Amino acid sequence: MAGDRAGGVGSEIWTIPNILSMLRLALVPVFLVLIVAGDYVFALVVLVVASLTDLLDGYLARRLGQITRLGQLLDPAADRLYIFAALVGLAAQELVPWWIVVVIVSRDVFLLALGVVLANHGFGPLPVHQLGKVATFALFFGLPVIMLGLAFPAVAVVSEPVGWAITLWGAFLYWWAGIIYAIETARVIRLARVAGDARSDTLEEGGSRG
């Protein structure tokens, strides 16, 4: 039985969609190095390739019926790592302020803390909120638009203000979604406590009758 489970995990890892997801993750350090080196054109090429593999692995997962838990974890992880790489790389070049890096990274640290609280109460992660998806997309789109102006200075007059507007809006939505997750975490824990108290009262009543 243990062998069957190991085989199942192995087959889950080596599906085509998951291989594409791992390839996208492997390109993250390449993307970061290119930004730090100031090779914005090639960095954008890597990002385009990563985005295409993201679309392709999602299509193949649905088409081949290979939607796995691992794939559902790898995809958002890759998106966040590209966002962080873009932020850190641009901040290292003093092209974006470090405070925006802190704002965005601290939100994910906040969600990690919420996950620990949920786990301590016996719950898994909360479902991804639609607002969180929109915020991640805004950041994933806004930062490359800023980079577009760095790669092609002729369009910087348009791309820079547009990119910053989308990025700042994305950062705001990112935290707004985080607050929603915090409210949901408190609600789930409160409901669990109420249910636990009700079960305890019932047991006590049953015991006294016995």
Side-chain angles (χ1 to χ4, degrees):
M1 186 176 296
D4 292 341
R5 284 198 299 268
V9 172
S11 61
E12 177 180 300
I13 292 174
W14 301 114
T15 61
I16 295 175
N18 285 347
I19 291 172
L20 289 173
S21 293
M22 287 185 281
L23 172 62
R24 188 160 72 257
L25 283 170
L27 288 174
V28 171
V30 178
F31 177 65
L32 176 59
V33 168
L34 288 171
I35 295 176
V36 172
D39 292 331
Y40 303 114
V41 174
F42 289 110
L44 286 171
V45 170
V46 170
L47 190 60
V48 169
V49 171
S51 299
L52 290 175
T53 61
D54 188 18
L55 293 173
L56 182 60
D57 77 53
Y59 170 78
L60 290 175
R62 291 187 297 271
R63 183 77 174 179
L64 301 175
Q66 294 179 339
I67 298 175
T68 64
R69 179 58 180 161
L70 178 62
Q72 291 172 333
L73 293 173
L74 288 177
D75 283 346
D79 290 342
R80 280 176 170 78
L81 286 173
Y82 276 101
I83 290 170
F84 294 161
L87 284 169
V88 170
L90 292 173
Q93 294 284 80
E94 298 184 352
L95 297 170
V96 303
W98 279 103
W99 64 261
I100 196 168
V101 181
V102 173
V103 165
I104 293 172
V105 172
S106 61
R107 183 269 194 181
D108 279 316
V109 173
F110 177 61
L111 254 63
L112 181 61
L114 291 180
V116 172
V117 171
L118 284 168
N120 286 339
H121 286 81
F123 296 101
L126 292 172
V128 177
H129 195 280
Q130 192 63 35
L131 186 61
K133 293 181 180 179
V134 173
T136 301
F137 175 79
L139 293 172
F140 197 75
F141 183 72
L143 290 167
V145 171
I146 295 173
M147 290 172 56
L148 187 65
L150 298 171
F152 305 101
V155 302
V157 66
V158 174
S159 68
E160 186 169 342
V162 170
W164 270 109
I166 296 172
T167 299
L168 292 175
W169 182 241
F172 172 73
L173 293 180
Y174 210 50
W175 264 104
W176 187 0
I179 292 169
I180 291 174
Y181 288 128
I183 293 171
E184 283 298 301
T185 297
R187 185 183 67 84
V188 167
I189 293 172
R190 185 173 62 252
L191 289 175
R193 284 176 176 170
V194 170
D197 290 343
R199 288 193 298 271
S200 177
D201 292 342
T202 302
L203 287 172
E204 288 176 7
E205 291 171 6
S208 61
R209 283 196 298 269

